[in-house]
Amino acid sequence: MSSTGKGRTTIEVGPDGVALITIIHPPVNSLSFDVLNGLRDCYEQALRRDDVKAIVITGAKGKFSGGFDITAFGGIQSGKLEQPKPGLISVEYFTDTFEAAKKPSVAAIDGLALGGGLEIAMTCHARISTPNAQLGLPELQLGILPGFGGTQRLPRLVGISKALEMMLTSKPVKAEEAHSLGLVDAIVSPNELVSTARRWALDILEGRRPWIISLYRTDKLDPLGEARDIFKFARAQARKQAPNYRHPILCIDSVEEGIVSGPRAGLWKEAESFKELVQSDTCKSLVHVFFSMRGTTKVPGVTDRGLVPRRVKKVAVLGGGLMGSGIATALILSNYPVILKEVNEKFLEAGIGRVRANLQSRVKKGKMTQEKFEKTISLLKGVLDYESFRDVDLVIEAVIEDVSLKQKIFSDLEKYCPPHCILSSNTSTIDLNLIGERSKSQDRIIGAHFFSPAHVMPLLEIVRTKTTSPQVIVDLLDVGTKIKKTPVVVGNCTGFAVNRMFFPYTQAAMLLVERGTDLYQIDKAITKFGMPMGPFRLADLVGFGVAVATALQYLENFPERTYKSLIIPLMQEDKRAGEASRKGFYLYDDKRKASPDPEIKNYIEKARSISDVAIDPKLAKLSEKDIVEMAFFPVVNEACRVLDEGIAVKAADLDIASIMGMGFPPFRGGVFFWADSLGSKYIYSRLEEWSRAYGGFFKPCAYLAERASRGALLSASMDQAKSRL
Ligand SMILES: C[C@H](O)CC(=O)SCCNC(=O)CCNC(=O)[C@H](O)C(C)(C)COP(=O)(O)OP(=O)(O)OC[C@H]1O[C@@H](n2cnc3c(N)ncnc32)[C@H](O)[C@@H]1OP(=O)(O)O
């Protein structure tokens, strides 16, 4: 096995005869190959030494282990790191060395025991944890399955159903639940952790406590017939929820193999599947997403200056509409006191009502207790004037998209808010320089663009102007993280990053329909590609009003590449406004179920004749692949412009923005990651071909042309791209 030179494992033998093995690999004690080899060496030493009677395994600095070292996947996938032969770690190390040892071992778990971390703990003969421990097998979120025996041991410790739930959702359980499930044997305070584990290990040795080998437990397993039903149900659910994923099915298969043919057969099945999945495109994409998500808070020239985020103690939200109330909900859910300002009692009441309803829906779903509801809503205060703005640290303006109204608000804010207060706008398209035109506080004006519904959607687009101070960006990044959003910092322009990328997608769909492609086929192909819904279903959901307002902004700013379609305006004339009016591209019943509407063809024909567009026989029978490419290559093209203009700092940020803001399938790694898997040359040549046939909308931008001419990656930074020459 190759070495990565990362992390180590120490062994210390106490006078009680217990060897304490500690995993040391900051920040999360991940299991690099060095750590895994070190662990085996420590175990072998402990087993060899006569002065060692029992073993305790723990992790340094309050973390047991965050699992296998995810940075090693890149090396394995590119061939730079040799992938160990199947079974080396799960069978030879974990099963035949650790678990089968003639000396008992106990895991002392503080903080995290995730993935391979929990898998080590499950090979021990008992597990003691602190109250704040979290235990789980989140491997599926990376496109793999637990590969160190987790698919075999977890079902035997907590039962098949619970184990499948934990693996398929990737959600960890907290110590208390782990204890009630039997995954943890005792919970003790952090300062008693290691001493309790030591005693426990000696108790096992001396027969005062049972010596349990998890792999061979059967008491929690359902009888075979019932188990088969559980597997059948789990497979059906997995296929329904993630039809593009193979790894959940392979995970279920491994668990089933262990139940049907015995745990050793299960271990081998798991090992073979792990080997296959590590090399899959899904794993490559999801690992890229994992690191890219963590990279969005690293902004050169901003987060590398040693600035410490200032504490935001009170926030004001202006406007209690859909966005404002969602934003207020997100803030109070993370314990920020919020004042919500509206223009009159009626609107204020409606705004507060929306926040209450957002929280109530959590109570109904069992995600929030009534007591917590009361406590959370008490953080919200409604106001009608600016008097209580004198001590706010952050304002988020979320009124309608009206430039002069926003300008007035920002000049008012300057009068009432303290000089340190961050002045942000939730605008989704309007240039921030325009909004702040009548204000002198240019350095503290920033965009805080949330996505609807704001208390649910995970992305926060932080928009900086040329004058926004780095301190203000750092402050908002901190608030974003605290309210559990993934913040992406972008530059100021019409539509910022997400909407700019998104716009050509809907336009391409309109262009295709006007030239003969079936709109329901388009939605079907795009959904199959992995988007949560197709462009037409989405336009219905968002509402045509929003679609038209955005289109106008684009037409004004990017006329050369805005495709003008009349389909939506014609539908609006007939009071079709999308799902809210029960009629859009689809018809909606009482349960919001969408069905195709035969009348749609009339609007399409009318739009075609007014615009003098003819049906193109090629486009009338496009393959699903072509539909996807014609809808998304214009998105790639726009993403290249966004990057080239410096609106985004790095391509990976746009990958995250596309996944979290547009719903781009995470298993494709984001818009750039996907584009690079196809190659810049190919994308360029197709866009060129379409731009000759269908006009400037498809014209590849200079950045794309330049990268294609060199065969360079679209995502590579300038330096990287040049070094490929
Ligand atoms: C064979 C086995 O079955 C396969 C496996 O074990 S696969 C790995 C399974 N484990 C996981 O999926 C856990 C992944 N990690 C996480 O979910 C979260 O990082 C966490 C809950 C451990 C910690 O979360 P949090 O405290 O918010 O810190 P977070 O910013 O995410 O991570 C801190 C740093 O540790 C890194 N890190 C976290 N887990 C890591 C891992 N398993 N390997 C390598 N690096 C890891 C992060 O990239 C980040 O690095 P950075 O500071 O350079 O950006």
Side-chain angles (χ1 to χ4, degrees):
M1 191 187 296
S2 313
S3 163
T4 53
K6 293 161 78 185
R8 65 201 168 96
T9 319
T10 60
I11 179 165
E12 231 178 291
V13 182
D16 56 358
V18 176
L20 179 68
I21 299 178
T22 308
I23 302 167
I24 308 169
H25 189 195
V28 300
N29 294 328
S30 65
L31 307 171
S32 62
F33 288 133
D34 282 355
V35 169
L36 288 164
N37 285 330
L39 207 54
R40 182 209 47 200
D41 293 346
C42 288
Y43 245 100
E44 282 175 350
Q45 196 192 128
L47 298 180
R48 238 184 0 252
R49 278 170 65 162
D50 292 337
D51 58 340
V52 174
K53 295 192 273 187
I55 299 161
V56 166
I57 303 186
T58 196
K61 302 220 164 114
K63 283 172 187 152
F64 187 77
S65 169
F68 183 69
D69 180 6
I70 302 171
T71 61
F73 283 126
I76 295 173
Q77 286 153 355
S78 64
K80 284 187 194 134
L81 266 182
E82 195 188 323
Q83 185 171 0
K85 70 175 192 319
L88 178 76
I89 297 168
S90 65
V91 181
E92 282 186 32
Y93 291 12
F94 280 35
T95 305
D96 295 345
T97 309
F98 304 174
E99 193 176 39
K102 295 277 177 303
K103 297 177 184 177
S105 58
V106 173
I109 303 168
D110 197 2
L112 308 160
L114 300 176
L118 178 57
E119 290 173 297
I120 290 181
M122 291 192 294
T123 65
C124 292
H125 306 112
R127 284 152 296 282
I128 316 295
S129 89
T130 59
N132 78 348
Q134 290 198 36
L135 301 92
L137 294 180
E139 285 89 342
L140 268 71
Q141 71 179 354
L142 298 169
I144 48 170
L145 81 172
F148 294 162
T151 64
Q152 303 308 306
R153 291 187 182 87
L154 191 62
R156 287 172 169 78
L157 282 164
V158 304
I160 299 173
S161 295
K162 185 67 195 177
L164 286 177
E165 180 199 311
M166 286 174 68
M167 290 187 279
L168 295 173
T169 61
S170 289
K171 281 207 185 113
V173 292
K174 296 206 175 106
E176 206 178 311
E177 188 182 352
H179 187 225
S180 69
L181 288 168
L183 185 54
V184 155
D185 297 280
I187 300 179
V188 297
S189 68
N191 53 13
E192 290 170 315
L193 181 66
V194 172
S195 57
T196 309
R198 298 183 96 104
R199 261 197 322 277
W200 203 288
L202 292 173
D203 284 351
I204 294 176
L205 182 76
E206 284 150 23
R208 288 189 295 275
R209 293 194 187 270
W211 189 320
I212 296 169
I213 300 202
S214 311
L215 194 65
Y216 292 107
R217 263 179 77 169
T218 52
D219 53 308
K220 293 260 175 96
L221 297 181
D222 307 77
L224 200 55
E226 282 163 41
R228 283 197 203 276
D229 287 342
I230 297 172
F231 295 127
K232 200 170 148 202
F233 179 74
R235 272 193 198 95
Q237 288 286 100
R239 285 205 180 96
K240 197 167 139 213
Q241 277 162 14
N244 288 297
Y245 284 163
R246 185 170 143 73
H247 60 288
I249 303 296
L250 287 184
C251 177
I252 300 168
D253 290 350
S254 290
V255 179
E256 182 165 25
E257 176 74 9
I259 304 299
V260 173
S261 311
R264 272 192 100 81
L267 282 177
W268 286 109
K269 174 123 191 137
E270 177 196 275
E272 292 297 338
S273 300
F274 186 83
K275 183 175 175 222
E276 175 195 327
L277 289 172
V278 166
Q279 299 294 349
S280 69
D281 288 343
T282 299
C283 173
K284 288 175 192 163
S285 302
L286 293 177
V287 167
H288 168 72
V289 171
F290 177 86
F291 288 117
S292 302
M293 268 177 71
R294 281 149 183 86
T296 63
T297 47
K298 296 175 182 115
V299 187
V302 176
T303 53
D304 49 8
R305 290 174 166 221
L307 293 168
V308 179
R310 292 172 297 174
R311 217 178 122 215
V312 169
K313 297 185 286 296
K314 186 173 166 189
V315 186
V317 175
L318 270 102
L322 199 64
M323 287 312 292
S325 56
I327 295 168
T329 310
L331 288 161
I332 57 175
L333 274 172
S334 295
N335 295 320
Y336 281 103
V338 172
I339 50 176
L340 182 67
K341 181 180 175 306
E342 257 301 352
V343 286
N344 60 39
E345 283 290 353
K346 194 174 146 217
F347 285 0
L348 185 59
E349 216 173 281
I352 293 178
R354 282 189 198 101
V355 178
R356 292 186 82 88
N358 289 341
L359 296 182
Q360 280 295 356
S361 114
R362 293 187 162 236
V363 176
K364 264 193 221 134
K365 287 181 194 148
K367 287 186 183 162
M368 182 182 254
T369 61
Q370 189 61 31
E371 193 191 343
K372 177 83 178 135
F373 169 88
E374 301 297 345
K375 219 171 141 194
T376 309
I377 199 74
S378 73
L379 291 168
L380 183 73
K381 190 172 159 251
V383 297
L384 293 173
D385 57 33
Y386 286 116
E387 280 316 311
S388 45
F389 279 49
R390 303 217 179 260
D391 63 345
V392 294
D393 306 301
L394 164 66
V395 175
I396 304 175
E397 168 274 308
V399 305
I400 52 164
E401 295 284 66
D402 174 333
V403 176
S404 55
L405 174 64
K406 287 186 197 265
Q407 286 178 336
K408 161 115 185 52
I409 287 174
F410 274 74
S411 81
D412 285 345
L413 286 173
E414 216 175 17
K415 289 180 214 140
Y416 291 95
C417 301
H420 74 271
C421 178
I422 302 161
L423 308 177
S424 76
S425 170
N426 175 53
T427 181
S428 57
T429 37
I430 306 176
D431 188 323
L432 285 166
N433 291 325
L434 208 58
I435 293 178
E437 213 174 55
R438 284 159 58 185
S439 150
K440 283 186 243 31
S441 309
Q442 301 294 342
D443 57 331
R444 52 192 174 119
I445 293 182
I446 190 162
H449 180 208
F450 289 81
F451 293 77
S452 182
H455 57 296
V456 178
M457 293 290 281
L459 185 66
L460 172 64
E461 201 174 24
I462 295 182
V463 188
R464 57 169 162 180
T465 68
K466 291 213 160 53
T467 47
T468 310
S469 83
Q471 179 66 55
V472 165
I473 302 170
V474 167
D475 296 343
L476 197 54
L477 274 169
D478 186 52
V479 173
T481 312
K482 290 209 169 106
I483 61 173
K484 302 186 184 66
K485 303 288 175 203
T486 298
V488 175
V489 177
V490 302
N492 183 30
C493 67
T494 300
F496 314 130
V498 176
N499 283 346
R500 255 186 80 175
M501 288 194 292
F502 217 145
F503 194 62
Y505 164 70
T506 321
Q507 292 217 319
M510 295 293 170
L511 182 147
L512 289 180
V513 165
E514 284 196 357
R515 283 167 174 71
T517 319
D518 179 78
L519 83 86
Y520 303 112
Q521 283 295 335
I522 295 179
D523 271 6
K524 204 171 131 209
I526 299 285
T527 315
K528 237 169 134 182
F529 176 73
M531 293 290 282
M533 60 187 87
F536 297 101
R537 179 69 188 81
L538 182 71
D540 276 0
L541 183 72
V542 176
F544 294 171
V546 175
V548 169
T550 323
L552 284 175
Q553 289 274 347
Y554 279 81
L555 192 58
E556 218 170 275
N557 289 280
F558 314 112
E560 76 293 351
R561 56 179 194 268
T562 305
Y563 182 73
K564 291 187 269 310
S565 163
L566 287 175
I567 302 178
I568 288 187
L570 285 170
M571 287 166 78
Q572 279 181 312
E573 280 176 16
D574 278 357
K575 305 245 171 316
R576 280 183 179 249
E579 192 179 319
S581 66
R582 292 244 195 136
K583 270 184 178 184
F585 289 101
Y586 292 81
L587 295 174
Y588 296 88
D589 67 13
D590 293 345
K591 292 189 180 116
R592 295 176 54 203
K593 191 175 167 341
S595 51
D597 183 355
E599 276 182 29
I600 288 299
K601 68 173 188 317
N602 303 335
Y603 297 100
I604 298 170
E605 273 162 18
K606 200 164 168 195
R608 218 175 258 152
S609 88
I610 300 175
S611 310
D612 200 18
V613 173
I615 292 186
D616 182 309
K618 260 208 256 161
L619 299 189
K621 44 179 196 324
L622 274 186
S623 67
E624 287 189 340
K625 173 176 169 282
D626 283 340
I627 291 177
V628 164
E629 293 186 355
M630 289 189 88
F632 281 109
F633 286 0
V635 173
V636 172
N637 202 13
E638 195 63 28
C640 286
R641 288 191 184 97
V642 168
L643 193 59
D644 195 27
E645 289 166 24
I647 299 299
V649 173
K650 50 191 181 299
D653 286 354
L654 293 176
D655 281 337
I656 296 305
S658 65
I659 290 170
M660 295 190 162
M662 293 174 59
F664 196 84
F667 65 91
R668 299 194 189 274
V671 68
F672 274 104
F673 195 82
W674 175 68
D676 278 335
S677 75
L678 303 175
S680 53
K681 272 195 165 131
Y682 174 68
I683 297 176
Y684 174 81
S685 69
R686 295 233 70 191
L687 283 168
E688 258 299 316
E689 172 196 331
W690 301 327
S691 90
R692 279 195 300 271
Y694 310 112
F697 171 73
F698 287 110
K699 194 171 171 11
C701 68
Y703 177 97
L704 182 46
E706 196 261 345
R707 292 288 158 113
S709 72
R710 302 171 196 283
L713 291 174
L714 295 175
S715 60
S717 64
M718 288 298 176
D719 300 346
Q720 282 171 310
K722 285 197 182 120
S723 71
R724 284 172 60 96
L725 296 181

